[in-house]
DNA sequence: CCACTTGTGCAACGACCGGTTCAGAATAGA
DNA sequence: TCTATTCTGAACCGGTCGTTGCACAAGTGG
């Protein structure tokens, strides 16, 4: 019983996500979150407890709706040989688009890692887990692309690809061409390794 | 004639640099800058014109006193073969220390690149130039370490090392072991390339 | 139909910040 | 001494944070 919620929680969280993504946690003002979500101040607090609660929900939504869908082809039971190249290409297109549509560019979590909120242990763990998840997925892609590679070589390639992807996220806001070049480098490395 | 400045500009800028480094531009409050520099609000405005002016001075100081000294061995006339390895080792030690001494960890400019102030064109250019300077220096180190490598190979290694270094800066705040692993990977890549 | 539960809107709170400006005190050299 | 420069303390306006209180609207189960 009782009145039912008038808003779609998912929509609200998505809208808040955009704000956090483009402004960062600290600079995301409550009025901005109100405007983006269409919710009133007190409804936000009622539903999420605090600004931080809304942020946590936004991060989860980012992982579930942005990060993981993109990684899915890399974590299925049998990964296609060209899955990693596909991932890099998709990311390239996304970063290229983000250049035009300014605002939500780069990666919410990479942006967060340099912000003051990254001092919070829970946030640190979230970002660190995200990196691990990314690296594991990329490693699976490497193994699928290079079935003859040994474990150490796959590890190394996965590490390098992860760094290139993270760098691309870091750079896309200040120097988009360099960011894209990072992704191209990753693809080229894969090619080289296949040839050899 | 007239009263003379009672503070050492360099000291003040260094103190402000620490604040911006650990809090980011947006979250560095004027009171915090006052406390760190020992200057009065109005003295800051008198000397630097604005919060932004102080930030710009802090960034210059960061480049001149933190970044470039570390890169110097890589940009001399004849670079030692082990200069790049030395750079990576030095950085490793610095990032390890930064883990204990929390606050100024990572890289001021990498942290800045994900913050709202990175929307400013001048800031974007500064960060982008910094990346280029870093890459050029690393490339010189690669060439010195691998005199037999051709240009394309040096380019590729320089790109990858740059990404690994930037990733290390990004990660050190949230996951120091992974950050150090990035630097180790760069050193290992260099070793591999030498053997081959 | 009505009581009860829950969501919503509006307003306000105290404390802080940004970014700046101003008048006035202090200090140096001519 | 006087003049130029600097330093200091205080104040300004408009804004934000993060939260809470309260009255009202709107559904739900009995």
């Amino acid at each position: 019983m009782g009145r039912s919620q008038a808003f779609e929680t998912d929509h609200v969280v998505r809208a808040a996500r955009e704000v956090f993504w483009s402004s960062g946690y600290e600079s995301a003002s409550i009025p901005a979150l109100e405007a983006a979500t269409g919710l009133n101040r007190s409804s936000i607090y009622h539903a999420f407890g605090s600004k931080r609660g809304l942020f946590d929900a936004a991060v989860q939504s980012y992982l579930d709706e942005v990060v993981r869908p993109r990684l899915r082809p890399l974590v299925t039971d049998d990964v296609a040989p060209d899955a990693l190249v596909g991932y890099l290409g998709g990311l390239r297109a996304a970063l290229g688009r983000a250049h035009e549509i300014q605002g939500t560019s780069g990666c919410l979590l990479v942006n967060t890692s340099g912000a003051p909120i990254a001092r919070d242990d829970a946030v640190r763990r979230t970002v660190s887990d995200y990196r691990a998840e990314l690296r594991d997925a990329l490693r699976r892609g490497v193994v699928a692309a290079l079935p003859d590679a040994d474990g150490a070589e796959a590890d190394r390639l996965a590490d390098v690809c992860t760094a290139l992807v993270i760098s691309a996220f870091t750079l896309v806001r200040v120097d988009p061409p360099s960011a894209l070049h990072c992704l191209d480098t990753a693809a080229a490395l894969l090619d080289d390794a296949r040839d050899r």
Side-chain angles (χ1 to χ4, degrees), chain A:
Chain A
M1 57 179 96
R3 186 177 175 175
S4 47
Q5 218 176 31
F7 56 89
E8 204 75 38
T9 304
D10 286 359
H11 290 174
V12 164
V13 172
R14 268 193 281 271
R17 187 178 78 198
E18 309 276 293
V19 176
F20 286 124
W21 195 346
S22 73
S23 311
Y25 177 77
E26 291 82 9
S27 301
S29 72
I30 305 279
L33 291 168
E34 283 185 302
T37 59
L39 281 191
N40 186 281
R41 239 175 171 63
S42 16
S43 296
I44 293 179
Y45 275 83
H46 185 74
F48 301 96
S50 65
K51 184 185 179 187
R52 175 59 193 278
L54 179 55
F55 178 73
D56 290 341
V59 166
Q60 278 315 311
S61 145
Y62 179 76
L63 286 171
D64 288 338
E65 300 182 10
V66 179
V67 172
R68 284 177 187 131
R70 209 180 279 288
L71 291 180
R72 186 161 310 280
L74 294 170
V75 293
T76 49
D77 276 341
D78 61 338
V79 182
D82 64 343
L84 181 49
V85 171
Y87 168 80
L88 292 169
L91 201 55
R92 200 182 194 290
L95 292 192
R97 258 179 282 123
H99 184 196
E100 305 155 13
I101 313 159
Q102 79 163 340
T104 65
S105 58
C107 163
L108 171 57
L109 293 171
V110 169
N111 295 348
T112 295
S113 69
I117 195 174
R119 295 241 174 80
D120 179 278
D121 280 341
V123 171
R124 280 223 301 257
R125 232 170 299 129
T126 302
V127 180
S128 160
D129 289 352
Y130 157 71
R131 193 213 68 100
E133 195 171 338
L134 175 64
R135 203 213 86 124
D136 282 2
L138 295 185
R139 190 182 191 285
R140 283 161 159 274
V142 168
V143 170
L146 308 169
D148 299 336
D150 65 358
E153 192 181 348
D155 279 337
R156 169 124 330 149
L157 256 172
D159 286 341
V160 170
C161 282
T162 307
L164 284 161
V165 169
I166 291 178
S167 287
F169 283 138
T170 301
L171 290 173
V172 68
R173 288 197 159 193
V174 294
D175 186 358
S178 295
L180 299 183
H181 182 66
C182 283
L183 299 179
D184 294 341
T185 300
L189 279 179
L190 217 63
D191 251 15
D192 287 4
R194 199 194 319 259
D195 289 351
R196 209 176 315 118

